[in-house]
Amino acid sequence: MVLKIIKYPNPILKKKSEEVKEITPGIKELVLNIMAIMEEKKGIGLAAPQVGELKRIIIVQTTGSEKFTTGKGAEAFINPKILKKSKETEVMEEGCLSFPELFLEIKRAKTIEIEATNLEGTKIQFKADGIGARAFQHEIDHLDGILFIDKVGFWQKLKIKKTLKKSKF
Ligand code: CO
């Protein structure tokens, strides 16, 4: 299976992904392939729809979070859900592998609580903050067809237009 990252404005990126009912060998293979491409592109997160698979699977480089550090590096989260978001927000610059060369300042919750299923089929719950919280919010948005360009105001919209024109993707 050779995966390619789907770039904006491919309409797949705007679609809603489906729940994963069972962690089959095919799902595990897909996860390994997404991890490989994420590592190759040096991303800190990637969602299955970004490789054309409309399934609720995300990969996140979990070592970036202060509260959620397993030391395992990239990990897969199946059917991830945000249970709680802190009222406190934070603005940070973000990129997305589906938008090469575009970086935007995005406001997101500072701390979140997440529920997901891991590759062994176990339900897990945890907190994330810092870059980790940001990556989870960004990747989970992808599963609902929400992109980071949907979250900005007027001035950054101008920047998006300019960058997209320049990079011609
Ligand atoms: Co993205």
Side-chain angles (χ1 to χ4, degrees):
M1 199 191 318
V2 180
L3 297 179
K4 251 183 80 183
I5 291 186
I6 289 188
K7 309 258 165 72
Y8 181 84
N10 191 314
I12 288 177
L13 294 172
K14 295 299 290 170
K15 295 207 167 121
K16 213 175 148 81
S17 293
E18 296 200 345
E19 292 260 317
V20 174
K21 299 255 157 59
E22 200 190 335
I23 298 164
T24 58
I27 292 288
K28 287 187 180 167
E29 197 195 335
L30 175 64
V31 162
L32 288 178
N33 283 296
I34 301 176
M35 279 181 179
I37 195 165
M38 187 177 104
E39 197 173 312
E40 184 196 317
K41 305 283 179 194
K42 303 200 184 334
I44 62 162
L46 196 59
Q50 289 181 278
V51 297
E53 295 281 342
L54 290 169
K55 295 184 172 75
R56 301 191 79 83
I57 302 171
I58 60 170
I59 311 293
V60 173
Q61 187 68 256
T62 54
T63 41
S65 173
E66 289 158 38
K67 281 197 184 140
F68 184 65
T69 302
T70 60
K72 279 194 244 164
E75 280 184 75
F77 301 89
I78 319 279
N79 303 327
K81 236 192 334 208
I82 296 178
L83 300 176
K84 253 193 235 164
K85 279 186 184 181
S86 65
K87 284 217 177 76
E88 205 183 335
T89 56
E90 197 169 35
V91 176
M92 253 196 238
E93 195 177 71
E94 272 177 38
C96 178
L97 291 178
S98 294
F99 294 80
E101 294 169 53
L102 183 65
F103 297 92
L104 299 168
E105 305 259 314
I106 308 286
K107 184 160 95 176
R108 296 197 188 268
K110 209 171 173 205
T111 315
I112 54 170
E113 219 172 296
I114 304 150
E115 182 189 88
T117 301
N118 66 18
L119 264 194
E120 288 76 51
T122 310
K123 261 214 171 138
I124 49 170
Q125 262 187 35
F126 52 90
K127 282 185 181 155
D129 65 0
I131 292 173
R134 182 154 298 266
F136 277 105
Q137 290 173 85
H138 179 116
E139 300 314 330
I140 292 172
D141 272 352
H142 271 299
L143 304 182
D144 294 314
I146 299 167
L147 304 170
F148 74 155
I149 56 167
D150 301 329
K151 303 188 95 82
V152 301
F154 179 76
W155 292 110
Q156 291 206 96
K157 285 217 169 90
L158 284 183
K159 183 181 172 183
I160 295 167
K161 260 196 181 154
K162 257 169 92 188
T163 311
L164 296 190
K165 221 187 250 167
K166 203 174 62 197
S167 62
K168 294 189 204 97
F169 61 89

